[in-house]
Amino acid sequence: MIFRPISRLAYTIMAGLILFSIFFAIAANNIVPVTYLTDQSSVMTANDLKPAACSAIIVTTIVYCPVAGGNCDGTDNNELIIGSPANDNIQAGKGDDCILGGGGNDNIRGEQDIDVCIGGPGTDSFHPSCETETQ
């Protein structure tokens, strides 16, 4: 007689374990769709990359000076001109320009319109055509 309640209890526990296992097996098979919520992108423009000192200028183009240094000439657009780590001779073109000297000893020259000239860690020389000069 004592075996009957124990066997019923064992069968009930076994049935509960089977149902519990089936529930988790079905849940593990569910597929959660990809939402790409964290994959957000935005377009960076030249205007987004300029330093705060150039906030009055709306730049449309980026000009990178050659890595080896030397002459670096701007165009007639409103530009962000970025110097190299070497010594540069940077000359902006017409238009409003934001000129960033690189790590070397740079000669920085603006042209017509508004030119903000910012030197780098080297010893830089600025032409009077730079309306704003920062070493």
Side-chain angles (χ1 to χ4, degrees), residues 6 9 11 30 40 42-43 49 68 82 89 101 103 106 121 126 129:
I6 292 177
L9 180 64
Y11 288 132
N30 286 343
Q40 297 178 4
S42 61
V43 177
L49 300 175
I82 301 175
N89 293 315
D106 303 318
F126 300 95
S129 58

Side-chain angles (χ1 to χ4, degrees), residues 33-135:
V34 178
T35 61
Y36 299 107
L37 181 63
T38 59
D39 293 342
Q40 297 178 4
S41 62
S42 61
V43 177
M44 295 285 292
T45 65
N47 212 42
D48 298 325
L49 300 175
K50 68 183 179 189
C54 299
S55 62
I57 299 173
I58 298 175
V59 295
T60 57
T61 309
I62 300 175
V63 174
Y64 296 99
C65 295
V67 176
N71 292 332
C72 181
D73 297 325
T75 66
D76 290 344
N77 294 326
N78 294 354
E79 298 166 324
L80 173 62
I81 301 175
I82 301 175
S84 73
N87 298 337
D88 296 313
N89 293 315
I90 302 173
Q91 182 169 344
K94 297 176 184 173
D96 299 335
D97 300 308
C98 179
I99 305 167
L100 305 177
N105 300 328
D106 303 318
N107 295 315
I108 302 175
R109 177 186 179 105
E111 279 293 328
Q112 299 173 358
D113 296 328
I114 299 171
D115 296 312
V116 176
C117 303
I118 302 171
T123 303
D124 302 318
S125 62
F126 300 95
H127 189 269
S129 58
C130 293
E131 280 75 22
T132 303
E133 300 173 8
T134 305
Q135 177 59 48

